[in-house]
């Protein structure tokens, strides 16, 4: 999810991976709540999806601030 629709460039993928791992380890507000879902263990999967979405948004924000494109 973090790398979806990003240019195929090492810098983008490395930044997406770093942000994904950061969000997955720290578990900020929305991720921590979603992890608590116990229905069929969906929280285990959905917290990773939300971390990937936040990482994707972070990469896009970083690219917009730095102006890589």
């Amino acid at each position: 999810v973090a790398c979806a629709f990003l240019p195929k460039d090492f810098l983008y993928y490395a930044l997406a991976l770093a942000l994904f791992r950061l969000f997955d380890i720290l578990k900020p507000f929305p991720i921590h709540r979603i992890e608590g879902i116990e229905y069929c263990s969906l929280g285990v999967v959905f917290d990773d999806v939300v971390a990937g979405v936040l990482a994707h948004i972070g990469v896009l924000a970083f690219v917009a601030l730095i102006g890589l494109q």
Side-chain angles (χ1 to χ4, degrees):
V1 173
C3 295
F5 308 111
L6 289 177
K8 293 179 180 166
D9 185 48
F10 177 77
L11 178 62
Y12 288 93
Y13 286 3
L15 183 59
L17 176 64
L19 287 175
F20 171 76
R21 290 302 300 150
L22 180 74
F23 290 136
D24 193 38
I25 291 169
L26 294 180
K27 303 215 184 292
F29 164 67
I31 298 171
H32 181 68
R33 283 197 91 155
I34 290 173
E35 187 183 33
I37 297 173
E38 294 181 10
Y39 180 74
C40 296
S41 300
L42 288 177
V44 175
V45 175
F46 284 146
D47 77 321
D48 291 334
V49 172
V50 174
V53 169
L54 290 177
H56 185 82
I57 292 169
V59 170
L60 294 179
F62 180 78
V63 168
L65 288 173
I66 302 299
L68 290 176
Q69 277 188 336

